[in-house]
Structures are given as C-alpha cells and as structure tokens.
Amino acid sequence: MKLLSVSTGKVRSLDIDGQRVKTAFLKEAVSGPVRVELNGIEGNEVAVHTDAIYAIAQEHYGYWAEKLGADSKSWPVGYLGENLTVSGLDEAALQVGDKVSIGKSVVLTVTGPRIPCFKLCWRMAQPLSFIREFALSGRSGVYFDVDCPGIILAGDDVRVVQKAKNSVGINRISKIAFSAVQADEHELRHILSMSCLSETSALSLRNILYQFLDGKRIKEDRWKGWRKLTVESVREETKHIKSFFLKASEEHPLAPYRAGQFLTVRLPVNKEERPITRVWSLSDYQEKPDRYRLSIKKEPFGVGSGYMHECIKPGSELEIQAPQGRFVLDRGGFKPVLFIAAGIGITPLFSMLKAHLARGEKAPPVYFIHCCKSRAEQPLRQELDALSQAYSFSTLYIFDQPDSEDVQGIDYDIKGFLNAEAIKTLIQGCHILHGGKRIDMPLVEFDIYMCGPPVFQEKIREGLIAEGANEDRLFQESFTPKALENNEASLEKATVVFSRSNITSEWLSEDGLSLLELAESAGLSPDYGCRVGICQSCMANLVEGKVRYDVALMHELEAGKVLLCSAKPAEDRVVIDL
C-alpha cells in the first residue's frame, strides 16, 4: 500500500439543506512532509467526529464515480472527507485494533469503519438513503487513532504491522451498525469492550444493544391470560395516592417489562356482577423484577381506584395480565432526555427515569419536570430527590397551589404553571461528551416524554414545538383518544358473526353500538378494560370483513386484529373469533 495524499480541513459553518452546520468535511491536500500528532494530523480540525484520522482507498474514487455516473477527475483528493488517500487500502482485511505503519515512524491503530452522515449525501448530491448504501459497500474507508506520532509524506509505504487478536472486522461492524446482519448480545458486548473502538461506532452499537435487551425483556417469563399476584405491602404516598407492591411465587418469576408499560388488573368489585378491569402504569423499574409497583390515585368517582384504596390490603390477591403498552422509553438513543409529568402522570415517567439511569455513566443527560398542586400532593418525591442526588441530574418542581409550609427553593422551584421559557432555562448549557469533545445539545436534539392531563400535554407540546423541539421525538401518553377526522362512510346495517360462539347478530348504525357492546347484547362476555381503545384487553381476531374506528387508536394493531370496544363494521359482513 502507498500513501498518495494527505488532506486537512478546518471547522466552518455551512448551509446544508437549509441548516447551518458546523463541519470540517471539506478538505484540501497538503504538500510536503506532514506531522502526525497523537490527536491527528497537524492543522486538521474535527467538528463532531472524535477519531483522529480518516483514510480511504484511492480505488474507491473510481468505483463511486462509475456507480453514481460522475467524473472521478472532478473529485480532488479529500473530496470524500478523508485525511489520507491510500492506494490498495482494503477494509475487508482490517480489524479493530490492527496496527498500521506509515513511513519510518508513524503507527496508527484501526478503530472502526466510517459511520457516514447526511453531510456525505450533501457532498455527493445523493438522497439520504445513500448513507446506508455507502456504509455497507465495503468501500467507505476506515478510522484510525495515533499510536506513534511522526512525519509522513506522500509516497510513503503503508503496512499492516500487527494483527489484533480476538477482534472483529470493520466491515462486520458496519453491517451490524446498519442492521444488515444481526449480532447477539455476546458479540455486541464483546465489540463494545474493545478499548480502541471508535466512539462513533460505539454509539451505534450501544443503541443496538439496548434495543436488543429491551426487545428481549418483553418476551421473558410472560404468561397468557390472568395470573394471581399477592399484594406484599401498601404504602401511602400522599392523601390520595397509594403504592401497591405485588409479589409472585418463587416458582413463577415475574415478567420483565419496558419502562412506561402498564398492568391490566381485574377487580371483583361486586361479587354478584362480573369483575371490572382497569389499567395502571408500573411506577418503578427493575432490570430483573422481583415485584411490581402500582401507584394509584383515588379518583372522586373512580370505582376501580376506590376499590384498590379501600379494599386491597397486604395479603390480598389480584388478577393481573402480563405488562404491556407501547408508551415506552427508547434506551437506544444517545441524545438528552426530558421527562415532563403532571400529577399522577409521574408514574410511567418515573419508571422511565430509573431505566434511563440504569444505563450507567454512558447515559445521555436527563432532566425531570414534575408539576403538581403542592408538596403534600406530590408522589414519589423522596425517591426522586434521592435519585437526583445520587446521579446528579436536574429537576424542576412546579406547584400551582403550594401550601403555607412549602418553601420555594427547597420544596419547589416555581409557583404557577409550566411554560416553554422555564424548560429552556432548565436545559440551558446541555451538552454531551463525545470522545472527550463537548457537543452542545439544543432543544431540537432532545427526546421528550410527557404524561399528564390532555390539556396540559397539548399546551406544553405546542410551546415546545414553537421553541424548536423535534415533533418526531416528542412522545406522549394520553388517556383521551382524539376523534378521527375522516371516518369511512358508515353502513346502515351489517351482519356480525361471533364464530367461536356460533352467534350471529345484526348491527344497526342507528344504535351506534361498538362490537364489544354488540357482543355483550348477544349474551357474550368478552374481556375488556378501559373501553376507549387504550388497554387492548378486548383485542380479538378479525376473521373476515373490515372494521372502522371512531377514535384514533393509541397503538397500531397487528394485521387481523380488532379492538372490540372501539370498532364498528365497515362492511356488510364481519366475522370475529369470539
């Protein structure tokens, strides 16, 4: 292999697709001897990437020019953003940790493949889909760190002088990072344990590892239908909120869950009537749960919450379905996380907070906001304060009706109501450290999770988006589905067959019954919970026909499934496995 050229670049601000972006992508060739220092090539700057040197094979210029219909002569060396242009450089032969010499004194260590971004697409005038094509091509180049500094010069020999043991090829890492192949937990942890691995590759692989682990969690030790759990203890959080701790027998462990999920509970409120079903968010998080916790607010006219508060004691048994729900924390991200809770909406977000902190020192920055009436009405406060002290993250407590004994600056931070200005002040100066380099994180870079009354959420959402929050990374848990704007035209009547029960009923549009109500009117007793399309307790198999929904469902359904509580016929014949 031969070193053909050395190129360097300076950080500058460019307009890329309407965004002002700081980048050192643009490179220019440097003539004569060039000094290589421990942090990279003398005179070269990096904006985001922390790897010291990026190299690519000269032969790749011809390959990409032909593939993209371009003239390779119009691409000077450094056009692809590389520092070193090398003839004969073969990524397929390189592994993380391999040692490569250049000239007489410089030794570099392979740290990983190039993980391209949107700036490459801008440079090459290609759509964003080109990122994946480039990364998986085996012709994307390689990142190096510097082991031994020195002087290099175009024409120097480039040699692999030491092969790493028990390592992984950089092409394999590219394929894992871009989901072209699947790696198991053992392989991911093995790659991440390599001390010389590029932090850019490590970010992608950590994301994949957490996605794998969280996907694995929801499949372990799950049960079908209902299962009895024993109430181990009950703790009063506030005057109106109690926490119920549920234990299982040692022979049958509890199913792990993703932070933010809920439990469906069946309650025998009236022994002469069928049990009622309720859903409550899990308010704690354990990687390997030995108990579940539900923190439940007693509502003024809440039959289910009233029963829990008045009748359920230590030793009581409750019928529970396995955890479910899709309002869950994405632990695969590397961006800062902001939790915004109001009142009892703290329960799923507290679980998410603990799951986020469980990522350890590599976890991105996190901020927690809780809005409530007063300190006396604030659940889980002691736990929040203990976590904040142990992990040093920022909190913001807002009371709209603080008691006379509540002290501002100690019990709460702001009297009144949350607004976007308070959020901006809280996150001011947020940044992440990427390979020791500080990268500022404005609001647009945050993953934001909210839970609370619908009016509260909508107001805060509007304010956040107006201030620049990314709407695609703003997640909400709401218990009031919105009506669809464009429903399918309603039928006047339809024939509904409940095939397993061998019952046929006529559905009339003027009656306005859901399929759940129609089934109940026919003498059937399907499972149900919320009756508004959230808990999915009433899900059934749709054998034939189509249905419509008068509300926007909280979660997308699998093909062939129907939520009886919210569905109505959309064709004149519907068959349901019930």
Side-chain angles (χ1 to χ4, degrees):
M1 295 183 286
K2 288 283 185 182
L3 176 63
L4 300 182
S5 182
V6 181
S7 302
T8 62
K10 298 290 186 181
V11 175
R12 63 184 79 182
S13 183
L14 300 176
D15 188 347
I16 299 179
D17 296 332
Q19 301 182 61
R20 295 304 294 177
V21 178
K22 286 186 176 181
T23 178
F25 192 103
L26 302 181
K27 303 287 196 300
E28 294 182 358
V30 180
S31 60
V34 180
R35 173 169 292 280
V36 177
E37 301 171 335
L38 287 174
N39 62 346
I41 296 173
E42 186 177 40
N44 186 63
E45 297 178 353
V46 293
V48 176
H49 295 292
T50 57
D51 303 279
I53 293 175
Y54 169 48
I56 198 168
Q58 185 273 337
E59 293 82 359
H60 294 353
Y61 272 79
Y63 172 84
W64 287 116
E66 180 179 355
K67 190 170 184 62
L68 300 178
D71 181 3
S72 63
K73 294 180 181 179
S74 66
W75 293 350
V77 291
Y79 189 81
L80 296 178
E82 80 275 13
N83 301 113
L84 306 180
T85 311
V86 181
S87 67
L89 180 65
D90 181 11
E91 291 105 301
L94 294 176
Q95 301 181 117
V96 172
D98 286 352
K99 305 291 184 182
V100 175
S101 69
I102 304 178
K104 297 180 179 180
S105 59
V106 172
V107 178
L108 308 179
T109 300
V110 175
T111 61
R114 180 178 185 177
I115 304 295
C117 66
F118 69 95
K119 288 172 284 189
L120 173 73
C121 300
W122 163 76
R123 184 65 157 163
M124 307 289 283
Q126 296 297 311
L128 291 176
S129 57
F130 182 66
I131 291 175
R132 178 179 172 84
E133 180 183 354
F134 187 85
L136 296 176
S137 66
R139 296 176 172 87
S140 62
V142 56
Y143 284 133
F144 291 99
D145 272 347
V146 179
D147 264 18
C148 298
I151 302 296
I152 59 175
L153 181 67
D156 280 345
D157 288 333
V158 179
R159 300 184 181 88
V160 177
V161 293
Q162 182 178 323
K163 294 295 292 181
K165 296 180 180 180
N166 194 28
S167 187
V168 176
I170 63 171
N171 282 354
R172 172 73 178 175
I173 292 175
S174 291
K175 291 177 181 179
I176 295 172
F178 285 86
S179 303
V181 298
Q182 289 187 336
D184 59 21
E185 180 181 353
H186 174 76
E187 183 176 12
L188 287 167
R189 291 191 183 278
H190 171 61
I191 297 172
L192 286 167
S193 71
M194 297 177 184
S195 60
C196 54
L197 178 68
S198 163
E199 184 61 25
T200 307
S201 294
L203 277 175
S204 296
L205 298 184
R206 282 193 209 101
N207 297 349
I208 293 170
L209 175 61
Y210 276 107
Q211 290 170 4
F212 174 85
L213 293 176
D214 282 341
K216 180 181 176 182
R217 294 178 62 78
I218 61 174
K219 298 177 183 178
E220 293 180 353
D221 296 321
R222 293 185 66 81
W223 65 90
K224 293 183 179 180
W226 300 96
R227 174 184 175 186
K228 288 185 178 181
L229 299 182
T230 301
V231 177
E232 179 187 43
S233 62
V234 180
R235 186 175 73 199
E236 186 172 290
E237 303 288 352
T238 72
K239 182 179 179 181
H240 302 293
I241 299 173
K242 289 183 178 180
S243 286
F244 299 84
F245 298 85
L246 313 180
K247 288 278 285 187
S249 62
E250 294 182 1
E251 300 82 32
H252 302 286
L254 294 175
Y257 53 92
R258 293 189 66 181
Q261 290 191 308
F262 58 78
L263 291 182
T264 304
V265 185
R266 188 156 64 181
L267 304 172
V269 173
N270 189 329
K271 293 184 179 180
E272 297 180 359
E273 299 178 4
R274 60 177 304 193
I276 66 170
T277 308
R278 294 292 184 268
V279 295
W280 287 295
S281 296
L282 287 153
S283 63
D284 202 358
Y285 182 81
Q286 295 175 298
E287 291 288 339
K288 294 185 178 297
D290 61 3
R291 62 182 182 176
Y292 293 147
R293 182 174 74 179
L294 299 175
S295 299
I296 300 171
K297 179 182 179 181
K298 184 180 180 182
E299 301 292 348
F301 302 101
V303 176
S305 63
Y307 181 83
M308 290 292 293
H309 273 249
E310 296 165 12
C311 301
I312 299 302
K313 312 293 181 185
S316 298
E317 288 188 328
L318 290 173
E319 288 187 290
I320 307 291
Q321 289 185 348
Q324 56 184 310
R326 298 187 183 181
F327 178 62
V328 294
L329 177 67
D330 176 10
R331 293 205 292 177
F334 65 90
K335 295 183 177 181
V337 178
L338 172 62
F339 296 115
I340 304 175
I344 195 62
I346 192 175
T347 53
L349 301 191
F350 185 81
S351 175
M352 291 183 186
L353 173 66
K354 291 192 71 173
H356 177 85
L357 297 174
R359 295 175 65 175
E361 61 181 14
K362 296 292 186 180
V366 61
Y367 300 82
F368 200 99
I369 299 174
H370 190 208
C371 306
C372 57
K373 184 178 178 181
S374 65
R375 179 67 182 84
E377 299 288 338
Q378 187 178 23
L380 310 179
R381 174 60 182 270
Q382 289 185 335
E383 292 180 68
L384 265 175
D385 286 347
L387 288 174
S388 177
Q389 185 174 4
Y391 292 93
S392 300
F393 62 87
S394 296
T395 60
L396 180 64
Y397 300 137
I398 300 179
F399 294 172
D400 58 82
Q401 297 180 46
D403 294 334
S404 58
E405 58 266 30
D406 290 338
V407 179
Q408 189 167 8
I410 297 177
D411 296 302
Y412 67 100
D413 301 293
I414 297 174
K415 178 182 178 180
F417 300 94
L418 179 64
N419 55 42
E421 193 61 36
I423 295 172
K424 287 171 60 180
T425 301
L426 176 69
I427 67 172
Q428 188 174 10
C430 179
H431 64 277
I432 63 172
L433 294 176
H434 179 45
K437 185 180 182 64
R438 175 182 169 129
I439 301 175
D440 291 332
M441 288 282 141
L443 183 60
V444 68
E445 298 290 351
F446 274 69
D447 286 346
I448 303 173
Y449 297 83
M450 293 196 301
C451 188
V455 174
F456 167 85
Q457 291 192 69
E458 288 308 308
K459 182 179 179 180
I460 299 303
R461 178 186 176 87
E462 291 172 4
L464 287 168
I465 293 173
E467 292 294 338
N470 183 351
E471 189 172 0
D472 293 334
R473 301 303 298 174
L474 210 164
F475 309 99
Q476 296 173 254
E477 177 75 304
S478 174
F479 297 97
T480 306
K482 298 179 181 178
L484 291 175
E485 296 180 359
N486 297 307
N487 289 332
E488 297 179 48
S490 300
L491 298 173
E492 290 187 4
K493 62 180 180 179
T495 298
V496 179
V497 178
F498 301 107
S499 58
R500 205 171 350 130
S501 305
N502 197 26
I503 292 176
T504 300
S505 297
E506 184 179 45
W507 177 87
L508 299 176
S509 176
E510 62 186 28
D511 293 337
L513 297 181
S514 68
L515 291 175
L516 175 61
E517 293 166 331
L518 184 68
E520 290 173 334
S521 69
L524 300 177
S525 299
D527 286 334
Y528 68 86
C530 64
R531 299 184 80 100
V532 292
I534 296 175
C535 73
Q536 301 190 6
S537 298
C538 63
M539 185 182 293
N541 291 322
L542 180 63
V543 179
E544 180 184 331
K546 294 182 180 180
V547 299
R548 62 180 177 85
Y549 295 93
D550 287 339
V551 296
L553 298 182
M554 294 299 166
H555 311 301
E556 183 179 351
L557 296 181
E558 298 177 20
K561 299 292 185 180
V562 58
L563 288 186
L564 300 178
C565 72
S566 305
K568 296 177 181 178
E571 291 184 346
D572 57 10
R573 177 179 168 84
V574 173
V575 179
I576 298 169
D577 180 20
L578 189 68

